[in-house]
Amino acid sequence: VSTMTTGRLDIKSKNLQNIKDSIRKLGYTEVINYSFMNISELDMLNIPKNDRRRNTIIISNPLSQDENLLRTTLVPSLLKNLKYNIDRGCKEIRIYELSRIFIKTEDVLPREELKIGGLLYQDKIYNLWKEDVNTFFIVKGTIECLFKELHIKGYTFKLTEEPFLHLGKSADIFISNSKVGFIGILEPNIIESLDIKKHRPDVVIFEMDVDQILEHIPQRMIYSPIPKYPYIERDIALLVDESLPSIEVLNAVNDFKL
C-alpha cells in the first residue's frame, strides 16, 4: 500500500513558470527550437576565437550537416525565427525562448546552462499608435518589469563589448555586480548578412542566464507598513557630465539617507 499525495511544483519550477508568465504578459510569444547550430553562425556573430561560446560539441549523428553542433547561445535560433517571420510579412515580432545551451568542458559531459533569450522587431510604418519609444528601451523595460515581478533588486545596465551588438545601443545586464546577460540592437552588418527583405530594421535581442537569476529571487518577502502620511513629489534637475552613466546617478540618489 502506498500513500498518494497531491503533485506540487517545487520552488524552482514555480519561479521558472513565473518568469514565463511575466514575459508573456508583456506580449512575447514562446518559441521552441532545436538545440543545434552551425559554426558559421558564430562566425556571422563575430564571436572571438577565445570566447567560451566557441567551446562547441560536435554531434556524431546530426539530423543535418548544416546543424552539427550543440548550440552555445540562443541568438542564432532567434535570428532564424526572425527571418522566417519577416519573410512571411509579419509586421511585429516579440518572441522568447527558455532553453539550455551546452558548453564543452574537460569532463565527459558538457556544462549545461539554462538561458532565456528574446527578440523584438517592429515595423515603424505598421505601428498604428505612432509610438516613438526606441525599441531598445521597450525591451529594457521588459527586463526591468521581469525583475520587479520576481522581486529582484540591485540590477544595473553597463556598456557591453558583445561584437554583434550596436555600439552605444547595447548593454550588459548585472545583478549585484554579477553579469547575467546582455541586451542591445543588432549590428547593421548582422542584419544585412541575414538577407532580410527589409531595409536594415532595428532588431533588439537579449539573453540572460536563468540559473543566476534564480539565485537572486528572494525566498521570502518582508513587507513594510503603509506610511501614515501621503508622499511628497519633488522635481530636481541635475547637471552632470554627458559621459556619466545614468545608473551612477540613480545609485547616488538611492543611497542618500535623510
Side-chain angles (χ1 to χ4, degrees):
V1 179
S2 61
T3 304
M4 297 184 67
T5 58
T6 303
R8 294 181 179 179
L9 296 175
D10 56 22
I11 295 177
K12 180 177 181 180
S13 298
K14 288 181 180 179
N15 286 333
L16 290 177
Q17 191 60 51
N18 290 337
I19 290 174
K20 286 188 172 185
D21 291 341
S22 299
I23 294 290
R24 280 197 293 259
K25 284 189 294 186
L26 295 167
Y28 290 76
T29 300
E30 184 177 11
V31 295
I32 301 175
N33 295 299
Y34 289 116
S35 297
F36 311 135
M37 70 174 189
N38 188 284
I39 194 66
S40 62
E41 294 170 334
L42 296 179
D43 295 335
M44 178 190 68
L45 295 174
N46 300 319
I47 302 296
K49 298 298 182 182
N50 60 347
D51 194 289
R52 65 192 295 269
R53 287 167 289 191
R54 288 281 184 175
N55 298 333
T56 56
I57 299 172
I58 301 175
I59 304 171
S60 59
N61 56 341
L63 297 176
S64 169
Q65 290 300 326
D66 291 335
E67 295 183 323
N68 63 341
L69 304 175
L70 287 177
R71 61 182 175 177
T72 56
T73 172
L74 302 181
V75 173
S77 299
L78 292 171
L79 295 182
K80 289 179 182 177
N81 299 142
L82 170 73
K83 177 174 172 56
Y84 181 90
N85 284 278
I86 287 184
D87 288 349
R88 283 154 182 79
C90 291
K91 304 297 183 181
E92 180 171 341
I93 302 170
R94 293 181 188 232
I95 55 176
Y96 81 95
E97 182 176 11
L98 196 155
S99 187
R100 294 190 178 277
I101 58 104
F102 306 87
I103 304 294
K104 185 179 181 179
T105 64
E106 295 180 356
D107 298 329
V108 175
L109 296 177
R111 175 181 174 85
E112 297 185 28
E113 299 176 1
L114 189 60
K115 300 280 188 177
I116 184 168
L119 180 147
L120 170 63
Y121 158 75
Q122 284 183 332
D123 191 326
K124 298 294 184 181
I125 300 176
Y126 176 75
N127 197 334
L128 299 177
W129 299 104
K130 296 181 180 179
E131 185 179 16
D132 293 329
V133 180
N134 189 295
T135 49
F136 171 82
F137 293 107
I138 295 176
V139 180
K140 180 173 178 284
T142 296
I143 295 172
E144 291 174 335
C145 287
L146 172 62
F147 289 161
K148 289 178 182 178
E149 287 268 348
L150 300 175
H151 305 287
I152 293 177
K153 298 181 180 179
Y155 58 87
T156 58
F157 299 85
K158 301 180 181 180
L159 293 177
T160 183
E161 295 181 357
E162 290 291 351
F164 51 87
L165 298 180
H166 198 297
L167 184 63
K169 298 180 181 179
S170 55
D172 284 333
I173 306 167
F174 286 79
I175 302 179
S176 300
N177 296 322
S178 297
K179 181 181 174 181
V180 299
F182 59 81
I183 173 181
I185 294 178
L186 284 175
E187 271 281 358
N189 293 336
I190 305 296
I191 296 294
E192 191 171 321
S193 64
L194 292 173
D195 193 25
I196 294 176
K197 298 175 182 178
K198 291 284 182 181
H199 180 65
R200 291 189 178 182
D202 280 349
V203 177
V204 187
I205 197 164
F206 70 88
E207 183 180 273
M208 295 187 292
D209 190 313
V210 176
D211 293 321
Q212 290 193 61
I213 293 175
L214 294 176
E215 293 178 1
H216 291 89
I217 299 178
Q219 299 297 317
R220 56 193 295 265
M221 297 301 301
I222 301 176
Y223 295 92
S224 302
I226 299 175
K228 295 181 181 180
Y229 308 104
Y231 70 93
I232 299 175
E233 289 186 354
R234 294 182 178 178
D235 186 9
I236 301 176
L238 300 176
L239 182 63
V240 299
D241 191 271
E242 190 178 36
S243 61
L244 183 68
S246 61
I247 189 62
E248 294 189 18
V249 179
L250 289 173
N251 289 338
V253 173
N254 291 330
D255 292 341
F256 181 75
K257 304 294 184 181
L258 291 175

